[in-house]
Amino acid sequence: MDDCIFCKIAAGKVPCNKVYEDKYTIAFLDINPAAKGHTLVIPKEHYETMTDIAPAVMQSLSLSLQKVAKKVHDGLLADGYNVYINNKPAAGQVVMHAHFHIVPRKHDDGIRIQWPQKRYGPGEMEDIKSKVSGAVTGNDRG
Ligand code: AMP
Ligand code: ZN
């Protein structure tokens, strides 16, 4: 992907503040952090969303994510951390190369990750449950 900024970072063509790298993964500081130490964990290969990622890459990436989350948390003496991913523009994805955000947290740091809570109508949960559980994923990629 010639025009993908994260592919360029993974290939070393664009600089980043790298905190971790292995065969499938690279992790670096977000340039516009929600908190200092906000880190992005990405597959080196280009996949648009989490469900596009090849299963073997996803397995490795998950372990790297866990490792990097611990490094961010422990290295910065954080009180906690959030891990999240935006998939597709409707969910807020801006860079179309799948990436996990790790945001180190402190007590009372003023960051709010929240949404207005909704309510299900009568029978609606069962309907939603069967749509989700019955969705055909075809293979492991979903
Ligand atoms: P998202 O909305 O999930 O696509 O988030 C994209 C994230 O990538 C944002 O938090 C940006 O600050 C971050 N970002 C974009 N370009 C770079 C870059 N060159 N180096 C580090 N972080 C970046
Ligand atoms: Zn890419």
Side-chain angles (χ1 to χ4, degrees):
M1 293 295 288
D2 294 343
D3 57 349
C4 173
I5 182 74
F6 285 0
C7 280
K8 287 181 183 159
I9 287 175
K13 291 177 185 156
V14 164
C16 72
N17 287 285
K18 183 168 66 182
V19 297
Y20 177 80
E21 182 173 10
D22 61 29
K23 185 175 173 196
Y24 291 114
T25 310
I26 184 166
F28 50 92
L29 299 183
D30 193 297
I31 38 166
N32 292 124
K36 289 175 186 173
H38 180 164
T39 296
L40 302 176
V41 181
I42 72 167
K44 286 181 175 175
E45 252 188 297
H46 184 90
Y47 300 98
E48 276 200 12
T49 69
M50 189 182 75
T51 45
D52 293 325
I53 297 174
V57 175
M58 188 65 204
Q59 279 181 342
S60 173
L61 187 63
S62 306
L63 294 176
S64 307
L65 184 60
Q66 189 183 43
K67 210 177 279 182
V68 177
K70 186 158 175 54
K71 285 163 78 67
V72 170
H73 178 270
D74 293 1
L76 299 174
L77 305 177
D79 297 322
Y81 58 97
N82 295 105
V83 175
Y84 72 94
I85 178 167
N86 300 321
N87 292 287
K88 301 193 177 183
Q93 186 175 6
V94 173
V95 176
M96 298 308 291
H97 179 131
H99 53 280
F100 288 88
H101 297 253
I102 300 173
V103 180
R105 301 296 304 272
K106 286 283 191 190
H107 291 298
D108 303 320
D109 60 15
I111 297 170
R112 294 280 172 272
I113 297 175
Q114 60 184 194
W115 48 83
Q117 292 187 333
K118 314 241 176 342
R119 287 181 185 280
Y120 286 109
E124 208 179 356
M125 272 182 111
E126 287 71 20
D127 181 40
I128 298 285
K129 180 181 73 176
S130 49
K131 281 183 178 149
V132 173
S133 61
V136 177
T137 55
N139 62 22
D140 286 345
R141 292 194 200 188

